[in-house]
Amino acid sequence: MSIRTSVLAFLFGGALEAVSRLLVATRPFALFFRTLVSPTPKLFMALDRTIRYGMVGGGPGAFIGAVHRSAAALDGEMDLVAGAFSSDPEKSQDQGDSLHLDPDRVYDTYEEMADAEAERPDGIDVVSIVTPNFLHHDVARTFIDRGFHVICDKPMTTTLEDAEDLCRRVDEQDVVFCLTHNYAGYPLVKQARALVEQGRLGDLRKIVVEYPQGWLNRRLEEEGNKQASWRTDPEKAGAGALGDIGTHAEHLARYVTGLSLERMCADVGTVVEGRPVDDDASILARYEGGVRGLLHFSQISAGEENNLRLRVYGTEAGLDWRQEDPHRLTLLTDINGEAPQQIFSHGRASLADSVQPFIRTPQGHPEGFIEAFANIYRSAAHAIAAHEAGVEPEPWARDFPTVQDGAAGVHFIHTALESSEQEAWVDAAYTAPHA
């Protein structure tokens, strides 16, 4: 790893961990401040206590674990009380110590954690799974079978068989399962969805979603970069760019438009010589109703950072949203008409009612990646609280990606690989198992 890469990883990872600890330590102030400045009323949980959660993965040097912990801590409604943070027991204990957890609740294995927490009267309500992809299924299955709710990073599994197995187990055990496609948590993504539902775009014609990154433009996996090493290992990651960022792009398009894929013609490949997984893909698609689609994602696009972008075009208007400028959503009006283009900005009371519960700060006060992630966690937490209390969750608390969304993402990966191998259009329609 280069000195520059090492410094950036240390600073960024350390900053996330510091934010997570600060949010936990200052929970009363955080709740007061949010009540003071929030443009929406405080959203009360169905339980008179916080949600207790444990984490599997997210040990020393991990990136996404700190993100999940920060997101879970932001609203003061979830407490991290247990963990199996690493396959190395010593590292797991070190991580638990750094998070000030009870040493008796920092476990050597996730199996031990599931068994022990199931026996405790104050055991966890939900497990957060932030391991490399190949472990997701076994970890989720272990906790689901003991009646625990699950929050899992994407992609949900590495095989469709495992994904559908989780769908069935979730239904059988009647637990909440949330998949962290966090970009669906941005308020203006939800506004884009509302515009489509309101018919502001007319009949949909074309969907264009792109997600270029440049961080794997060279073989960082050979330079000691931990994230690159497992994400480019087919045994641990499954697919490459398709699973890492392609599933985000596919879900974002489906979430906003409400349309599922029907057919696709994919060109999936490896650009960096010697890499054993895909790092670039372009897909022509047909969605329900004949809507045309273009999906592009790449991790070898030099200079790109995290440039997820969605454009949707209809008979009356289009929309354009970019993750790197998440506070703006453009409604593209017909250039042959008289209506001007419209810019929706963050925090406005004029945004759709369905968006309001997800606005955390007034207009002009930026929200970003962690807040969007926290919106997913908050919806899941309130859904879990409602489940435990035996009541129906509020509509906004149902607004998170589910186990069926996870299966759809895994099916997308395998269909794209099949299409690319055949160099042909293939059937992409899919319905995940559901009770």
Side-chain angles (χ1 to χ4, degrees):
M1 183 186 297
S2 68
I3 293 176
R4 178 176 179 274
T5 302
S6 300
V7 170
L8 287 173
F10 171 79
L11 290 176
F12 191 48
L16 285 170
E17 199 64 68
V19 168
S20 179
R21 293 182 195 173
L22 179 63
L23 287 166
V24 172
T26 61
R27 177 176 290 112
F29 176 75
L31 289 172
F32 168 77
F33 182 74
R34 181 170 164 227
T35 303
L36 181 68
V37 305
S38 177
T40 56
K42 170 69 177 168
L43 303 170
F44 292 99
M45 297 183 73
L47 293 177
D48 60 358
R49 63 170 176 83
T50 57
I51 296 295
R52 298 183 291 265
Y53 83 100
M55 178 169 282
V56 177
F63 160 65
I64 204 64
V67 172
H68 281 253
R69 290 190 290 269
S70 296
L74 191 58
D75 290 289
E77 296 172 337
M78 300 185 73
D79 286 320
L80 177 62
V81 297
F85 300 104
S86 173
S87 57
D88 182 329
E90 184 176 348
K91 290 182 178 179
S92 186
Q93 286 293 333
D94 287 345
Q95 185 67 69
D97 290 344
S98 73
L99 295 169
H100 309 294
L101 297 186
D102 180 348
D104 290 339
R105 299 183 76 174
V106 179
Y107 301 96
D108 292 350
T109 68
Y110 65 83
E111 295 95 341
E112 179 189 356
M113 174 177 160
D115 288 338
E117 291 295 316
E119 295 297 321
R120 295 182 65 105
D122 61 347
I124 62 171
D125 300 297
V126 58
V127 64
S128 175
I129 302 172
V130 294
T131 64
N133 307 340
F134 77 105
L135 289 171
H136 289 179
H137 172 260
D138 286 348
V139 178
R141 179 186 62 186
T142 298
F143 282 87
I144 290 169
D145 287 352
R146 287 162 177 79
F148 292 110
H149 307 288
V150 173
I151 299 174
C152 183
D153 207 59
K154 56 80 225 160
M156 189 167 73
T157 61
T158 57
T159 71
L160 187 58
E161 179 183 6
D162 284 348
E164 293 183 341
D165 176 63
L166 292 185
C167 289
R168 288 185 285 268
R169 290 176 188 270
V170 166
D171 285 337
E172 290 167 2
Q173 296 295 328
D174 187 27
V175 296
V176 173
F177 190 107
C178 170
L179 190 75
T180 53
H181 279 305
N182 55 291
Y183 299 110
Y186 279 106
L188 288 178
V189 167
K190 297 181 184 299
Q191 178 66 20
R193 187 187 197 191
L195 292 176
V196 172
E197 291 175 344
Q198 293 165 5
R200 296 285 297 276
L201 276 62
D203 295 332
L204 300 189
R205 286 176 167 173
K206 188 160 187 174
I207 300 167
V208 180
V209 60
E210 56 189 282
Y211 198 163
Q213 295 179 336
W215 76 290
L216 290 178
N217 191 45
R218 68 174 193 268
R219 295 197 67 182
L220 288 182
E221 58 267 38
E222 292 189 338
E223 300 176 23
N225 185 298
K226 180 178 179 180
Q227 295 302 313
S229 294
W230 79 258
R231 292 175 193 271
T232 59
D233 181 347
E235 295 299 318
K236 294 182 177 180
L242 273 172
D244 200 24
I245 59 177
T247 51
H248 272 313
E250 185 275 331
H251 177 263
L252 180 65
R254 179 160 43 88
Y255 177 79
V256 169
T257 66
L259 299 178
S260 296
L261 289 162
E262 287 195 337
R263 292 179 59 76
M264 71 165 67
C265 182
D267 178 16
V268 181
T270 304
V271 175
V272 175
E273 186 176 354
R275 179 168 287 155
V277 296
D278 60 280
D279 54 20
D280 184 82
S282 299
I283 300 175
L284 293 174
R286 292 289 186 274
Y287 286 85
E288 295 171 288
V291 175
R292 292 172 173 262
L294 175 62
L295 301 89
H296 160 65
F297 20 88
S298 172
Q299 293 182 309
I300 50 82
S301 299
E304 292 283 5
E305 295 178 351
N306 199 54
N307 198 12
L308 175 60
R309 183 180 185 183
L310 174 69
R311 286 168 285 176
V312 182
Y313 303 100
T315 54
E316 303 298 325
L319 61 81
D320 187 356
W321 179 82
R322 290 182 60 239
Q323 195 274 153
E324 291 183 352
D325 184 19
H327 307 105
R328 301 286 184 272
L329 169 68
T330 304
L331 181 66
L332 305 163
T333 51
D334 188 347
I335 63 172
N336 296 310
E338 297 181 356
Q341 288 192 3
Q342 185 173 355
I343 306 294
F344 293 87
S345 58
H346 165 79
R348 297 290 184 112
S350 58
L351 297 177
D353 289 345
S354 60
V355 179
Q356 297 300 325
F358 301 96
I359 298 173
R360 295 171 173 277
T361 59
Q363 58 270 26
H365 295 72
E367 295 183 20
F369 181 78
I370 296 296
E371 289 85 355
F373 224 113
N375 281 340
I376 302 295
Y377 259 86
R378 184 173 57 175
S379 290
H382 279 251
I384 291 166
H387 185 283
E388 294 301 304
V391 300
E392 286 296 314
E394 294 293 325
W396 67 266
R398 300 186 183 97
D399 188 0
F400 58 84
T402 66
V403 68
Q404 282 78 28
D405 289 307
V410 176
H411 181 268
F412 165 74
I413 294 170
H414 289 276
T415 304
L417 291 171
E418 175 191 353
S419 171
S420 185
E421 183 177 350
Q422 295 182 13
E423 298 184 344
W425 283 88
V426 299
D427 181 11
Y430 178 72
T431 302
H434 200 296

